Amino acid sequence: MTDKELVESALDARKNSYSPYSNYRVGAALLCEDGTVYTGCNVENASYPCGICGERTAVAKAVSEGHRKFSAIAIAGSSEEICTPCGMCRQVLYEFAPQLKVLCSDSKGNFEEKKLSDLLVAGFGPESME
Ligand code: ZN
């Protein structure tokens, strides 16, 4: 799976986005170390805080299927700006993969590669509790 293919999966995952309130569709594609890919989209709610981002949807799908080792995630938004993960998603991703490769894409598939450890500096993770 190339970076470009993972971004394409994230772009495709946007089609299931349920975002009637923000009208901002997000898709995510999470690549496990064994090559499995889990996709996710944002799922909003009339009670706004109950909504969940595409990245966390993908993480929940993967972990609930027994996967915890991740090598990359692609995130695609629906504007001309690249879509970067929100703070809550950065924290959730950090739990499993502090060195995760994060591919941040705009609505057309133009993307930038970032490192989670740069996006969440001095993050708090499981090792912090040892
Ligand atoms: Zn988020």
Side-chain angles (χ1 to χ4, degrees):
M1 168 83 45
T2 66
D3 289 354
K4 190 171 181 344
E5 289 170 332
L6 196 63
V7 169
E8 290 294 330
S9 292
L11 287 163
D12 191 50
R14 292 180 311 171
K15 72 176 184 291
N16 292 325
S17 167
Y18 177 71
S19 45
Y21 306 106
S22 72
N23 290 310
Y24 188 76
R25 304 167 80 83
V26 178
L30 181 62
L31 177 64
C32 303
E33 283 187 359
D34 71 356
T36 308
V37 174
Y38 287 94
T39 58
C41 64
N42 54 334
V43 182
E44 296 181 348
N45 192 278
S47 176
Y48 289 5
C50 296
I52 185 170
C53 301
E55 301 93 306
R56 280 179 289 133
T57 300
V59 170
K61 286 170 69 177
V63 173
S64 66
E65 296 293 329
H67 289 87
R68 294 179 183 173
K69 295 183 183 297
F70 310 127
S71 51
I73 189 169
I75 306 158
S78 52
S79 74
E80 292 180 4
E81 298 293 317
I82 61 164
C83 184
T84 57
C86 77
M88 189 179 287
C89 287
R90 293 176 196 203
Q91 179 66 38
V92 168
L93 292 166
Y94 191 89
E95 177 77 13
F96 299 101
Q99 301 304 319
L100 190 68
K101 178 165 71 175
V102 183
L103 306 172
C104 303
S105 176
D106 67 12
S107 62
K108 296 196 171 84
N110 303 303
F111 65 94
E112 293 178 15
E113 178 178 336
K114 299 179 182 298
K115 252 175 123 175
L116 183 60
S117 56
D118 293 331
L119 295 173
L120 188 67
V121 176
F124 183 85
E127 72 285 349
S128 303
M129 301 179 73
E130 292 170 357

